[in-house]
Amino acid sequence: MSAGKFIVIEGIEGAGKSSAIAVIEQYLQQQNISFDKTREPGGTPLAEKLRTLVKEPCDEQITPECELFLMYASRSQLLHNKILPTLASGKWVIGDRHDLSSRAYQGGGREFNNDVIDSIANITLNGFKPHLTLYLDIEPELGLGRAQARGELDRIEQEKIEFFHKVRNKYLELANQDETIFIIDASQPMDKVHQDIRAVLGEQIGASDQ
Ligand code: TMP
């Protein structure tokens, strides 16, 4: 039995991650590939507690360093207790966010430099990387507008629009440097976004040795 693959979906708030994940699920089901789903931060009981800590608005200022460490603390729990064992069992994993989020939000948004993030990422992930990442690209004004229309905003969603421009710029910069990351234009009509996602999956998974 071959090991499973890890497919990650990324993007700012309101980019349409949830419906994109549903498209990936349907695709894998059609290929008779069994999979589990994860989300970050979170995805294990302890990591979900860390998610609540990092997302809830808090009277005490959460420092950028604390935020960065909580993201990686959560990722470490998820990697060792869920992602790696699942992949080893032969199942695939669909991840709602992974390390690229820290690169974009903490690296781009909070302006931690690459060396700082690299050193924490190396300790946490030890070279582990998703097989395929789909980044849903959208103008922050459009994405945040959709997120606002959905209801109450979490602590990070309450950041100013400039923060999300820095996050998006970092996402684009990193996606353009990595051939395992595919940029999907998420401002298109939903049907077209989903068609583009299926096209990437067809190319990448169709060619795989699953
Ligand atoms: P979401 O899963 O509902 O999008 O919420 C997760 C929030 O946490 C979102 O605002 C992005 C942020 N985040 C980071 O800042 N860094 C990270 O490494 C991850 C995984 C998420």
Side-chain angles (χ1 to χ4, degrees), residues 25-180:
E25 282 183 58
Q26 195 189 37
Y27 190 90
L28 294 186
Q29 277 157 358
Q30 283 164 354
Q31 308 287 317
N32 290 319
I33 296 172
S34 56
F35 58 87
D36 277 347
K37 292 192 292 174
T38 61
R39 66 172 183 182
E40 296 191 33
T44 76
L46 178 53
E48 285 292 319
K49 290 184 184 166
L50 298 174
R51 177 183 176 91
T52 303
L53 287 179
V54 82
K55 280 189 57 131
E56 262 183 5
C58 180
D59 289 340
E60 180 182 342
Q61 166 86 23
I62 297 187
T63 67
E65 290 75 17
C66 177
E67 181 182 277
L68 177 69
F69 290 134
L70 287 174
M71 295 299 178
Y72 277 98
S74 162
R75 185 160 303 128
S76 178
Q77 290 301 117
L78 182 68
L79 179 72
H80 293 285
N81 296 338
K82 175 91 194 196
I83 298 175
L84 292 176
T86 304
L87 296 178
S89 78
K91 276 190 184 173
W92 290 35
V93 176
I94 305 175
D96 179 347
R97 300 190 179 280
H98 185 61
D99 196 49
L100 189 60
S101 281
S102 296
R103 308 271 175 181
Y105 283 79
Q106 282 65 53
R110 304 279 186 230
E111 301 186 7
F112 279 102
N113 73 42
N114 285 343
D115 293 345
V116 169
I117 301 203
D118 276 346
S119 59
I120 302 170
N122 288 343
I123 293 171
T124 311
L125 299 169
N126 196 22
F128 175 81
K129 204 174 171 268
H131 297 87
L132 173 66
T133 298
L134 297 166
Y135 161 58
L136 300 175
D137 182 54
I138 195 162
E139 287 277 335
E141 283 78 1
L142 194 53
L144 265 288
R146 289 181 186 169
Q148 266 157 2
R150 277 201 302 247
E152 227 170 84
L153 298 182
D154 69 29
R155 188 182 62 83
I156 295 173
E157 288 165 347
Q158 289 172 9
E159 285 293 335
K160 295 196 176 70
I161 197 80
E162 294 78 49
F163 175 85
F164 294 98
H165 280 286
K166 289 190 284 181
V167 173
R168 181 192 186 201
N169 290 340
K170 186 58 89 174
Y171 264 131
L172 286 170
E173 177 192 321
L174 296 171
N176 282 313
Q177 290 167 8
D178 185 333
E179 57 187 20
T180 68

